[in-house]
Amino acid sequence: MFKPRAALVAAAAVLLLAACGSGQSASSAPGASDSGGGLSPVKVSVIPIVDVAPIYLGEQQGFFAAEGLKLELVTAQGGAAIVPAVVSGQVDFGFSNFTSLIIATSKGLPIKVVAPGAASTGAQGKDFGAVVVKADSPIRTAADLAGKRVAVNTLNNINDTTVRASIRAAGGDAKNVAFTELAFPDMLAALEKGNVDAVQVVEPFLATAKKNGDRVVASNYVDTAPDLAIAGYFTSRQTATGKPDLVKRFTAAMQKSLEYAAGNPDAVRKALLSYTKIDAALTGSLTLPSYPARVDRASLETLSKLAVQDGLITSAPDLSGLVP
Amino acid sequence: MTAATLRRRSPLSSRPPSWLLDLTGLAGLVAAVELAPRAGLVDERYLPPFSAMAAALAEQAGTAEFWQSLLETLRGWAIGLALAMAAGVALGLLIGGIPLLRAALSSTIEFLRPIPSVALIPLAVLLFGTDMRSTLLLVVHAAFWQVLVQVLYGVRDVDPVARETARSYRFRPFTQVRTVTWPTALPYVLTGFRLGAAVALILEITGELIIGSPGLGRQIAVAQSSGAVASMYALVIVVGLIGVAVNVAARATERRVLRWHPSIRRDLAA
């Protein structure tokens, strides 16, 4: 969510390709760390946001221990640190949005999605991410965003592509939008000061925006595809082929966690207090994402098409290697 | 002794003691942060008044997580600084003491020195993931150059006559370093320590903030992404206070270690 992050991603990708090229096959002995007995340790890198509540809940509920896994959650500030950590084998699994993973795949990074993470609620105006304007703004629909300044947290990623999809769906000119990169925590102040005309925010900033009296003009994830899958858990190809048992057990525990989270929204809201600093008074008014049990292949194809259409990548990667 | 105390006091007698000035400055800052949001000069939602930050800090101080993070930050800083000091002093004495080596490496050092530590983040993450070692790499890299360059200056400052004298008396290399080079270089080493201490703290917090390795920086980032503005500023204040403490401690160390040195001794006529 910092400005240098895009540069960091690029630099990391270059370094990664170099590292992968120099042959890291020494540590890929199959089942090396899966020796029986106690719980096998599993390191997962996550971002401390609303989307990853199920994994914290699942740990509390003992779903990972039941699969013989000792979960160690490592927090990172964004995908820029997570993708290299997973590919270099520093952590076993990571959490990322699917557009980032599609871009990484198209650059040849060996990654594989192993479990779903978070998805759009599919309800217009009632999603966990939205495009927001000030109450007195002349912008009424996504089509009005043409020619305006819109803030997204990362340029050339899932949020600007889905906002463009929203504008197209509303019949507007998606090419003629000035996207600006701003960290989520800075967006509402920038909107207030008039530095930007609209901001694409997610929870908890969406709830804060509504509390401030700002107006939702588009649910960009809902406009992109029905129940758009947004993020998920992934691993490196090396781990996927070298430790299939670990992956199977992680996926199973993750599915139980997601199911539990989907059925117990109050538990999710409570779990947020354990790993974020979201104001307890605000957690009740947050719109939670939906926590799907399966990775929705159609959503990934949609995101891949958008990535090509908006010039993030030159050609759509083969998704069969990425999706389970 | 009495003459020294008298002389020390005389230039200060015209103005209040420095600690009082320091406190006045801080009080002014606190008052500005308290009043600006209350008067509506800045939006209270994005810069809460000081009292709100203090309340958030009090709340944080009641959690084990806060103290754990504080400890992690201080530990990362101390380990990083210690490594940078050890490597900087050892290599500085070695390179500075051998003219050929110094000539051969000076351009390399000048090339490597300006590389910002932050640029090494992708490399650090690749090597160590997002744990403490990644941040340690940044801290050591940043502080090391501060120390090394100071030590090189210090070694260059050694009186050539003293050096030649030691050589003609056939002092062993270690004795030469101990009796001739080290006393001259020590003030520079301590300047390197003071600069390195501050830079190490900055990089420790930056690493935690951007990489997400454990410590106060990560707590700041979590507060930021949670929209907890008062908590975030509360932690920023803590980091600022650590910075002040580090500087005070470094200066005190400098004064104590260099008690004998003309730059510190005030009983010498200026």
Side-chain angles (χ1 to χ4, degrees):
Chain A
M1 280 157 225
F2 289 80
K3 285 236 165 187
R5 203 155 279 173
L8 293 181
V9 177
V14 170
L15 280 168
L16 274 173
L17 290 171
C20 298
S22 61
Q24 282 193 325
S25 52
S27 61
S28 66
S33 67
D34 290 355
S35 52
L39 301 179
S40 0
V42 54
K43 257 192 183 180
V44 186
S45 191
V46 295
I47 317 167
I49 52 171
V50 176
D51 307 34
V52 299
I55 197 168
Y56 283 90
L57 257 186
E59 191 191 16
Q60 285 167 22
Q61 294 294 322
F63 298 148
F64 288 90
E67 290 289 337
L69 298 176
K70 187 178 180 302
L71 192 62
E72 189 193 335
L73 291 169
V74 191
T75 57
Q77 283 315 311
I82 294 180
V83 174
V86 170
V87 176
S88 66
Q90 293 293 333
V91 297
D92 301 301
F93 302 99
F95 177 87
S96 175
N97 80 65
F98 287 133
T99 297
S100 292
L101 295 182
I102 288 165
I103 296 172
T105 304
S106 82
K107 284 183 183 152
L109 293 187
I111 49 178
K112 192 163 178 61
V113 175
V114 295
S120 157
T121 61
Q124 196 59 248
K126 289 191 188 99
D127 201 3
F128 76 104
V131 182
V132 164
V133 297
K134 278 173 75 173
D136 57 1
S137 165
I139 299 167
R140 312 302 305 183
T141 68
D144 298 336
L145 291 171
K148 296 291 195 291
R149 295 161 302 171
V150 183
V152 290
N153 75 319
T154 314
L155 288 175
N156 297 325
N157 211 299
I158 191 163
N159 289 327
D160 52 353
T161 51
T162 53
V163 169
R164 284 201 189 95
S166 226
I167 297 170
R168 280 188 213 106
D173 175 13
K175 286 216 158 44
N176 182 21
V177 181
F179 284 105
T180 318
E181 194 168 273
L182 270 183
F184 283 126
D186 302 331
M187 284 187 184
L188 296 180
L191 182 66
E192 189 81 27
K193 282 185 70 184
N195 295 340
V196 289
D197 302 303
V199 296
Q200 195 280 330
V201 285
V202 295
E203 295 293 10
F205 300 102
L206 180 55
T208 310
K210 286 177 184 163
K211 212 175 74 183
N212 289 352
D214 299 335
R215 183 159 47 83
V216 170
V217 287
S219 298
N220 51 311
Y221 302 141
V222 181
D223 291 339
T224 302
D227 301 329
L228 180 74
I230 287 164
Y233 297 85
F234 67 102
T235 188
S236 66
R237 279 288 159 72
Q238 203 174 317
T239 307
T241 50
K243 302 174 182 174
D245 186 51
L246 181 75
V247 173
K248 216 173 85 191
R249 286 188 283 164
F250 175 79
T251 304
M254 211 46 244
Q255 267 159 355
K256 266 192 264 176
S257 307
L258 290 158
E259 252 167 61
Y260 184 83
N264 296 278
D266 289 336
V268 172
R269 291 176 203 280
K270 222 173 121 197
L272 291 177
L273 300 177
S274 71
Y275 70 94
T276 73
K277 292 190 195 308
I278 296 174
D279 186 2
L282 198 65
T283 51
S285 54
L286 297 184
T287 307
L288 298 175
S290 75
Y291 299 116
R294 281 185 337 100
V295 180
D296 179 35
R297 176 88 188 243
S299 291
L300 268 74
E301 269 156 17
T302 305
L303 290 173
S304 177
K305 270 193 210 113
L306 287 178
V308 175
Q309 187 174 358
D310 292 333
L312 278 53
I313 48 178
T314 46
S315 64
D318 179 16
L319 290 178
S320 58
L322 179 65
V323 192
Chain B
M1 195 61 198
T2 43
T5 10
L6 274 177
R7 200 167 290 133
R8 197 179 300 170
R9 193 171 292 161
S10 58
L12 292 175
S13 57
S14 55
R15 55 179 196 163
S18 66
W19 60 266
L20 192 65
L21 290 175
D22 285 347
L23 280 186
T24 317
L26 272 182
L29 184 64
V30 167
V33 176
E34 179 69 32
L35 292 177
R38 291 204 183 278
L41 291 175
V42 289
D43 194 324
E44 205 170 315
R45 282 173 302 194
Y46 309 116
L47 183 71
F50 184 81
S51 50
M53 296 178 197
L57 182 56
E59 199 179 305
Q60 295 266 331
T63 63
E65 195 187 30
F66 170 79
W67 296 105
Q68 176 77 29
S69 303
L70 180 65
L71 198 70
E72 273 155 353
T73 296
L74 291 177
R75 191 177 56 189
W77 167 78
I79 295 174
L81 182 61
L83 289 175
M85 280 297 289
V89 170
L91 287 174
L93 289 176
L94 185 73
I95 296 169
I98 304 172
L100 196 66
L101 202 56
R102 185 192 185 112
L105 289 181
S106 68
S107 57
T108 313
I109 290 170
E110 288 311 312
F111 171 74
L112 290 174
R113 189 157 72 114
I115 295 177
S117 264
V118 182
L120 299 179
I121 288 178
L123 179 68
V125 172
L126 200 59
L127 289 174
F128 304 120
T130 56
D131 67 17
M132 174 232 187
R133 289 170 300 166
S134 287
T135 300
L136 194 61
L137 179 71
L138 308 189
V139 173
V140 173
H141 176 266
F144 168 74
W145 299 110
Q146 305 280 348
V147 180
L148 178 72
V149 169
Q150 287 300 321
V151 176
L152 288 178
Y153 284 144
V155 175
R156 192 190 285 174
D157 201 30
V158 173
D159 183 357
V161 176
R163 202 203 314 262
E164 286 313 313
T165 310
R167 206 165 282 163
S168 51
Y169 276 98
R170 296 187 190 282
F171 278 24
R172 277 200 270 217
F174 179 75
T175 317
Q176 261 187 54
V177 166
R178 191 169 56 84
T179 56
V180 181
T181 314
W182 184 247
T184 310
L186 192 57
Y188 292 88
V189 171
L190 284 160
T191 305
F193 172 73
R194 188 158 44 78
L195 296 174
V199 168
L201 180 66
I202 294 169
L203 266 298
E204 175 68 31
I205 299 292
T206 308
E208 291 166 5
L209 203 58
I210 297 182
I211 298 173
S213 62
L216 287 174
R218 179 168 85 188
Q219 298 300 319
I220 291 175
V222 170
Q224 225 175 14
S225 57
S226 300
V229 182
S231 298
M232 186 197 82
Y233 280 114
L235 292 165
V236 170
I237 290 172
V238 174
V239 171
L241 291 176
I242 297 175
V244 172
V246 162
N247 192 36
V248 167
R251 282 188 183 280
T253 311
E254 207 170 7
R255 266 199 305 278
R256 184 166 290 259
V257 176
L258 292 181
R259 219 170 11 206
W260 51 273
H261 194 271
S263 67
I264 300 290
R265 280 169 67 183
R266 288 175 193 236
D267 50 349
L268 291 174

